[in-house]
């Protein structure tokens, strides 16, 4: 169907109109079929809904199973401190009551075992610090140099210290002058006091004379002396009494001045004493700018050089050190003994020391200390061996080889022969035990990151904080040290070896 529309005068524009769609006839069957198709589409959507929930359900189930199996590993582990079970070989007749320092007979012809170590000062390094903060001015020694006791090792810049001493000295001189000025008043005041005392004495004498005269006039019969004369005599007595009172007051004032000067003298003396103490402190600081050697020894490490600052109050433990010294006549060897051989260690045991520096020299020594804790990583027990006559050419940190000799006694004879007389014995730290009775105790052990409760049967042997275990542990086990009150069986733990 077409029509025309007038947009401008004289112009005809054609316009198209779309014909309406024809209406389809609707009956009851068509309406019913349309309703059934709608219900079928809704039912298909409801059937597709479980298919969406299936992956979600599987994911939830997987998370639940994972949580049950590995949930404890996701929680933070409890940090604990552990110590190793030590295994020692003991001789049946070896005494457990031997005390350190007891002399034992030695056999240096037989070697029980050998182990390596290194030289170190006995018993420790001597640190020589600067006792005041300052800057190094001069250094008079080098590493490896031998120094005598009292030798100057280094000096600090002392300009400030010198000025402090000068200032403190002048302060004392000022106080001394003040004291002299105060004390110079004392002779004048003492003379003034004596003059006032004499005035009082003279006034009192005149007062007594006037009082006597007035008393005489007053006692004369009436009419012999005029009343005016009697009155004048009494007035003179009163006036002289006033003079005495005035002089007495002047005397009190002079005494107060003398007491004031004496108190000021005491105060100045106290200030002088404090100034003298301060001067002594400044002199000490000046003296401490010179660092001297406290022993005869050798410089191990030099920490100072000109212009370097030395701080006594710093957090760095070596910030004030000038040098580290050691006595070459007092050396020891630090030997790491394998735990498999540690059973043969004994205080006072003879040891022979050799080093590559002097391969033809064998140094005699003896075990002075056995450390109370084993090395977890190296599986060793450390022993300190004192050298009886060390060579001056030996230096700390030199590697050495130590041969341990048996001590006298039948028990060591069995050890030399390697017979079955020796027995392997386990020891645990005494502080790791709890619920302890005479023959049993309980202990927490660390087993693959888990806490395990063990019941132990204890033996009679005790050594330096360790107790013998007969049953319940094996060599190499780790036991938990206190605190362990909150531990539970199979609890996840994080072990750190004790230091």
């Amino acid at each position: 169907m077409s029509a025309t529309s007038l947009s401008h005068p004289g112009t005809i524009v054609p316009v198209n109109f779309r014909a309406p769609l024809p209406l389809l006839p609707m009956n009851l069957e068509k309406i019913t079929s349309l309703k059934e198709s709608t219900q079928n589409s809704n039912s298909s959507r409801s059937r597709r809904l479980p298919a969406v929930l299936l992956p979600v359900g599987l994911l939830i189930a997987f998370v639940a199973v994972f949580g049950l199996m590995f949930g404890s590993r996701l929680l933070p582990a409890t940090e604990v401190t552990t110590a190793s079970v030590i295994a020692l070989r003991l001789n049946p007749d070896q005494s457990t009551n031997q005390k350190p320092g007891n002399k034992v007979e030695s056999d240096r012809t037989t070697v029980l075992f050998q182990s390596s170590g290194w030289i170190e000062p006995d018993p420790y390094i001597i640190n020589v610090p600067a006792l005041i903060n300052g800057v190094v001015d001069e250094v008079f020694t080098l590493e490896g140099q031998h120094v005598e006791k009292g030798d100057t090792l280094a000096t600090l810049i002392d300009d400030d210290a010198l000025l402090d001493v000068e200032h403190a000295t002048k302060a004392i001189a000022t106080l001394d002058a003040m004291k002299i000025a105060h004390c110079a008043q004392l002779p004048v005041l003492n003379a003034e006091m004596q003059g006032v005392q004499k005035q009082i004495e003279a006034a009192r004498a005149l007062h007594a004379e006037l009082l006597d005269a007035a008393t005489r006039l007053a006692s004369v019969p009436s009419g012999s002396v005029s009343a005016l004369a009697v009155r004048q005599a009494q007035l003179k007595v009163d006036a002289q009494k006033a003079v005495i009172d005035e002089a007495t007051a002047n005397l009190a004032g002079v005494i107060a001045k003398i007491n004031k000067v004496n108190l000021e003298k005491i105060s100045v003396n106290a200030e002088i004493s404090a100034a003298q103490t301060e001067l002594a402190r400044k002199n000490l600081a000046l003296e401490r700018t010179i660092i001297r050697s406290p022993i005869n020894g050798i410089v191990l490490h030099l920490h100072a050089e000109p212009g370097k600052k030395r701080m006594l109050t710093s957090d760095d433990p070596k910030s004030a050190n000038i040098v580290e010294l050691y006595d070459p006549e007092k050396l020891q060897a630090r030997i790491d003994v394998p735990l498999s051989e540690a059973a043969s260690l004994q205080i006072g045991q003879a040891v022979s020391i050799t080093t590559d520096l002097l391969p033809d020299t064998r140094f005699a020594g003896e075990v002075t200390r056995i450390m109370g804790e084993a090395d977890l990583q190296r599986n060793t027990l450390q022993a300190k061996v004192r050298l009886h006559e060390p060579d001056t050419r030996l230096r700390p940190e030199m590697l050495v080889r130590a041969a341990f000799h048996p001590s006298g006694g039948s028990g060591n004879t069995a050890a030399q022969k390697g017979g079955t007389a020796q027995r392997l014995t386990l020891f645990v730290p005494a502080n790791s035990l709890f619920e302890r009775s005479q023959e049993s105790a309980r202990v927490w052990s660390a087993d693959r990151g888990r806490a395990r409760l063990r019941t132990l049967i204890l033996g009679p042997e005790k050594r330096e904080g360790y107790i013998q275990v007969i049953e319940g542990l094996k060599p190499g086990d780790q036991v938990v040290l206190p605190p362990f009150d909150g531990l539970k069986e199979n609890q996840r733990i994080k072990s750190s070896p004790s230091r």
Side-chain angles (χ1 to χ4, degrees):
M1 182 177 183
S2 64
T4 61
S5 173
L6 185 62
S7 61
H8 295 285
T11 302
I12 299 176
V13 179
V15 177
N16 296 325
F17 293 93
R18 184 175 297 176
L21 296 175
L23 296 175
L24 298 177
M26 297 294 293
N27 52 27
L28 183 59
E29 294 179 357
K30 291 183 177 180
I31 294 174
T32 304
S33 63
L34 181 62
K35 182 176 180 182
E36 290 177 353
S37 65
T38 304
Q39 291 177 352
N40 292 336
S41 64
N42 291 338
S43 63
S44 65
R45 287 197 205 98
S46 63
R47 284 195 298 271
R48 287 198 300 269
L49 188 60
V52 176
L53 293 179
L54 181 60
V56 177
L58 291 176
L59 179 61
I60 294 175
F62 176 80
V63 171
V65 173
F66 183 85
L68 292 175
M69 295 180 62
F70 306 103
S72 61
R73 297 187 181 182
L74 300 178
L75 299 176
T78 303
E79 294 188 1
V80 296
T81 304
T82 59
S84 298
V85 176
I86 297 178
L88 301 178
R89 290 191 181 93
L90 300 182
N91 298 315
D93 49 0
Q94 181 178 345
S95 174
T96 61
N97 298 321
Q98 182 181 0
K99 298 181 180 180
N102 289 353
K103 296 295 183 180
V104 292
E105 297 180 359
S106 302
D107 176 15
R108 293 185 179 271
T109 61
T110 305
V111 177
L112 290 178
F113 62 91
Q114 296 185 15
S115 189
S116 300
W118 57 90
I119 297 294
E120 63 182 14
D122 183 15
Y124 36 69
I125 295 172
I126 305 298
N127 291 288
V128 183
L131 298 180
I132 59 172
N133 298 331
V135 177
V136 178
D137 186 18
E138 293 182 275
V139 178
F140 300 96
T141 186
L142 296 173
E143 292 181 344
Q145 182 178 337
H146 183 84
V147 295
E148 298 290 335
K149 182 177 182 180
D151 285 353
T152 300
L153 303 176
T155 58
L156 304 179
I157 295 175
D158 59 359
D159 296 343
D160 292 342
L162 289 172
L163 290 176
D164 289 342
V165 170
E166 182 180 356
H167 181 269
T169 303
K170 290 182 177 180
I172 292 177
T174 301
L175 292 173
D176 285 335
M178 187 185 299
K179 176 182 176 181
I180 293 173
H182 280 293
C183 293
Q185 303 178 39
L186 286 177
V188 177
L189 293 175
N190 286 330
E192 184 179 352
M193 182 182 66
Q194 292 176 1
V196 174
Q197 288 176 343
K198 290 180 179 180
Q199 289 177 4
I200 292 174
E201 291 176 0
R204 285 176 177 173
L206 181 58
H207 176 266
E209 182 179 349
L210 293 174
L211 181 61
D212 181 65
T215 303
R216 289 176 181 275
L217 290 175
S219 63
V220 174
S222 179
S224 300
V225 181
S226 65
L228 179 60
V230 174
R231 181 60 183 167
Q232 288 178 344
Q234 185 60 40
L235 290 175
K236 290 180 179 179
V237 171
D238 294 339
Q240 191 62 32
K241 180 67 170 59
V243 171
I244 293 174
D245 292 341
E246 182 181 0
T248 303
N250 290 337
L251 178 62
V254 173
I255 293 175
K257 290 180 180 180
I258 293 174
N259 291 336
K260 180 181 178 182
V261 172
N262 287 330
L263 290 175
E264 289 176 347
K265 178 181 178 181
I266 294 174
S267 176
V268 172
N269 284 336
E271 292 181 6
I272 291 174
S273 178
Q276 288 174 342
T277 301
E278 187 65 19
L279 176 60
R281 192 187 304 277
K282 301 301 182 184
N283 281 324
L284 180 60
L286 177 60
E287 182 181 349
R288 285 177 172 176
T289 59
I290 303 175
I291 295 91
R292 305 181 187 277
S293 174
I295 62 167
N296 299 331
I298 295 177
V299 178
L300 181 60
H301 296 295
L302 179 63
H303 298 277
E305 57 189 37
K308 193 171 185 178
K309 185 185 295 184
R310 298 285 81 190
M311 301 295 293
L312 186 64
T313 56
S314 174
D315 293 335
D316 184 359
K318 293 187 178 182
S319 64
N321 275 15
I322 300 296
V323 297
E324 295 177 14
L325 301 177
Y326 72 93
D327 188 347
E329 298 181 357
K330 295 181 179 179
L331 295 177
Q332 65 183 5
R334 175 180 173 178
I335 309 298
D336 287 332
V337 180
L339 289 183
S340 59
E341 304 291 350
S344 303
L345 283 177
Q346 194 173 5
I347 300 297
Q349 183 175 4
V351 182
S352 296
I353 302 292
T354 57
T355 177
D356 292 341
L357 176 70
L358 304 168
D360 298 329
T361 305
R362 186 179 297 271
F363 298 96
E366 65 173 336
V367 178
T368 56
R369 284 180 291 160
I370 301 174
M371 305 306 289
E373 182 180 22
D375 191 317
L376 175 63
Q377 296 179 346
R378 298 182 179 179
N379 200 33
T380 58
L381 184 63
Q382 189 181 117
K384 304 287 187 178
V385 178
R386 177 182 297 153
L387 277 65
H388 293 316
E389 296 180 0
D391 194 288
T392 55
R393 292 171 289 181
L394 293 177
R395 293 291 187 270
E397 304 301 321
M398 280 187 176
L399 293 178
V400 296
R401 187 72 177 171
F404 289 80
H405 305 291
S407 303
S410 59
N412 287 286
T413 302
Q416 296 170 27
K417 296 179 180 180
T420 59
Q422 289 185 327
R423 53 189 172 89
L424 188 65
T425 305
L426 302 183
F427 288 84
V428 296
N431 59 349
S432 66
L433 305 177
F434 62 97
E435 297 183 8
R436 179 178 169 186
S437 63
Q438 187 174 1
E439 296 181 353
S440 65
R442 307 188 81 181
V443 68
W444 287 105
S445 67
D447 184 12
R448 290 178 292 181
R450 299 285 180 173
R452 308 293 184 186
L453 186 61
R454 305 282 183 87
T455 300
L456 309 181
I457 298 178
L458 304 180
E461 304 252 359
K462 297 180 181 180
R463 289 195 172 190
E464 300 181 3
Y466 283 74
I467 296 180
Q468 179 186 3
V469 175
I470 298 177
E471 185 179 334
L473 292 172
K474 61 181 182 295
D477 283 351
Q478 298 289 316
V479 295
V480 180
L481 299 179
F484 41 64
D485 295 334
L487 286 182
K488 298 180 180 179
E489 180 68 19
N490 203 33
Q491 181 176 345
R492 187 165 170 260
I493 59 176
K494 180 180 179 181
S495 303
S496 59
S498 63
R499 297 182 179 178

